[in-house]
Amino acid sequence: MSAVSDRLPTFPWDKLEPYKKTAEAHPGGIVDLSVGTPVDPVPELIQKALIDAADSPGYPTVWGTPALRDAITGWLERRLGARGVTHRHVLPIVGSKELVAWLPTQLGLGPGDRVAFPRLAYPTYEVGARLARAAYEAYDDPTALDPTGLRLLWLNSPSNPTGRVLSKTELTRTVAWAREHGILLFSDECYLELGWEADPVSVLHPDVNGGSYDGIVSVHSLSKRSNLAGYRAAFLAGDPALLAPLLEIRKHGGMMTSAPTQAAVVAALSDDAHVREQRERYAARRTLLREALLAHGFRIDHSEASLYLWATRDESCWDTVSRLAERGVLVAPGDFYGPAGARHVRVALTATDERVRAAVERLA
């Protein structure tokens, strides 16, 4: 056990605990803007689908029901502009984090192989490489990487933590480069439906991939767009030649989404109205927090999409965390996402309207 756990970095959120206690001591209570966990209700139509499927005594399948695969392929075509997607092009997963953490292992990567991810990135990309004992590196421009031994390239647009969106031109160039060098490209697009000042594009769009899914897979989650973080519902879409062996591995590993959750996902992907309503909630919170941070002396970088504001006062991120914790507001230090974030903090939009208003008042 220790041989595996010793490969992992210190769990970053543990370092935030003292600041959380400071924020909790505020007379008005804590405003927790550190973790991007949904706080709004699960839409009723999704709850109903889950309840209606509650009598599910048998084992679910890893590949999911035909209805689930139909819902996924329909959503990919309707919302992302993907063309020619079939059931072979999709694979349900148990939330996106488990996929990110275990993908290098499931791909058979190990010592001598390399995994690359953005300079500022979700920490689990690195964790996945460490678990597989593969080498890893962060990049600014993926096409500037040495392709030797590079087996897995992660893209993340819109970005967590920065909210940066890769342009169609950038995506097209990177897909072509990865194919030229025989590198598997996985694109984490979990925030794709939450563009504010940009319109995020998927690697599944024919303008990006030239009408071919060879060598590319996109990762999608219902946690943010449908408030389903507690359901652990996500899926992959892309190259059938990559997804087929992953399906076999996951069958052996019993990595299956529960039957009620599968039914809930069918309902969630078949309805766009609740997504628009949730976007409006986040947009209103974003406007309030953005204006309050700017008035308080912050600069907001990128942040054109996703559920975060990437903010800086041009000081150590931990000084900013401490300063805000004294006002009862907890945010995430930027260095959780790599050394390049040492002077930024990530401010989540995932708090209730009442708590957001409290944060705005304290910043004023």
Side-chain angles (χ1 to χ4, degrees):
M1 285 294 294
S2 63
V4 176
S5 61
D6 287 350
R7 298 177 204 159
L8 303 178
T10 301
F11 190 63
W13 294 96
D14 291 343
K15 296 191 291 185
L16 201 57
E17 279 303 310
Y19 302 92
K20 183 176 182 180
K21 290 179 180 177
T22 298
E24 287 173 336
H26 190 277
I30 186 173
V31 178
D32 193 344
L33 305 178
S34 65
V35 182
T37 186
V39 297
D40 299 302
V42 173
E44 287 188 12
L45 83 160
I46 301 175
Q47 292 190 48
K48 183 179 185 303
L50 184 85
I51 293 167
D52 289 347
D55 185 13
S56 298
Y59 288 113
T61 63
V62 173
W63 201 18
T65 63
L68 174 59
R69 284 176 261 137
D70 282 343
I72 294 172
T73 57
W75 180 84
L76 292 169
E77 293 188 351
R78 185 177 77 252
R79 300 292 292 144
L80 304 190
R83 295 292 177 265
V85 287
T86 69
H87 286 195
R88 296 187 310 112
H89 291 87
V90 302
L91 177 62
I93 54 177
V94 192
S96 58
K97 184 170 184 175
E98 64 89 353
L99 183 281
V100 174
W102 293 107
L103 179 63
T105 299
Q106 293 177 8
L107 290 173
L109 306 191
D113 298 320
R114 291 165 51 233
V115 176
F117 44 79
R119 181 79 58 196
L120 285 162
Y122 186 46
T124 313
Y125 302 131
E126 178 184 328
V127 167
R130 285 177 177 249
L131 286 170
R133 294 183 293 175
Y136 55 88
E137 62 185 286
Y139 64 77
D140 293 310
D141 176 1
T143 65
L145 290 164
D146 179 358
T148 306
L150 181 57
R151 300 284 305 282
L152 173 60
L153 174 64
W154 278 107
L155 300 184
N156 180 208
S157 175
S159 163
N160 175 14
T162 69
R164 183 186 172 211
V165 173
L166 296 176
S167 69
K168 188 180 291 186
T169 299
E170 289 174 298
L171 290 171
T172 302
R173 177 168 57 91
T174 304
V175 167
W177 180 85
R179 285 174 170 167
E180 177 186 354
H181 296 288
I183 299 164
L184 302 182
L185 186 152
F186 273 69
S187 180
D188 182 344
E189 301 175 354
C190 290
Y191 295 90
L192 191 135
E193 290 197 277
L194 295 166
W196 310 116
E197 296 160 3
D199 188 12
V201 179
S202 171
V203 296
L204 301 182
H205 195 286
D207 289 352
V208 172
N209 60 42
S212 167
Y213 300 117
D214 290 351
I216 59 173
V217 174
S218 64
V219 184
H220 295 274
S221 168
L222 285 86
S223 293
K224 307 302 194 291
R225 50 97 70 191
S226 297
N227 299 336
L228 296 189
Y231 284 43
R232 310 315 302 134
F235 58 90
L236 304 179
D239 189 347
L242 293 174
L243 297 186
L246 286 177
L247 173 59
E248 291 305 310
I249 291 166
R250 296 171 70 84
K251 284 180 180 178
H252 283 289
M255 304 178 83
M256 58 189 79
T257 305
S258 76
T261 296
Q262 291 187 31
V265 171
V266 172
L269 291 179
S270 302
D271 177 73
D272 296 330
H274 77 276
V275 181
R276 289 193 295 269
E277 292 171 5
Q278 188 60 45
R279 275 180 53 87
E280 290 172 3
R281 294 188 190 102
Y282 284 136
R285 293 165 187 166
R286 180 180 183 271
T287 297
L288 289 173
L289 286 170
R290 183 184 180 90
E291 291 176 354
L293 289 166
L294 291 172
H296 195 68
F298 281 88
R299 185 180 76 248
I300 308 295
D301 291 332
H302 302 300
S303 306
E304 58 259 33
S306 84
L307 287 182
Y308 312 104
L309 293 170
W310 188 238
T312 181
R313 290 172 56 95
D314 288 317
E315 63 185 7
S316 162
C317 61
W318 288 100
D319 288 345
T320 306
V321 168
S322 178
R323 185 193 307 273
L324 292 177
E326 290 171 0
R327 294 172 178 259
V329 178
L330 189 68
V331 297
D335 65 4
F336 276 11
Y337 308 94
R343 299 180 74 81
H344 282 75
V345 293
R346 193 192 74 169
V347 183
L349 309 180
T350 50
T352 64
D353 293 342
E354 183 275 328
R355 288 288 82 188
V356 167
R357 287 193 296 270
V360 169
E361 291 170 1
R362 295 174 194 184
L363 288 170

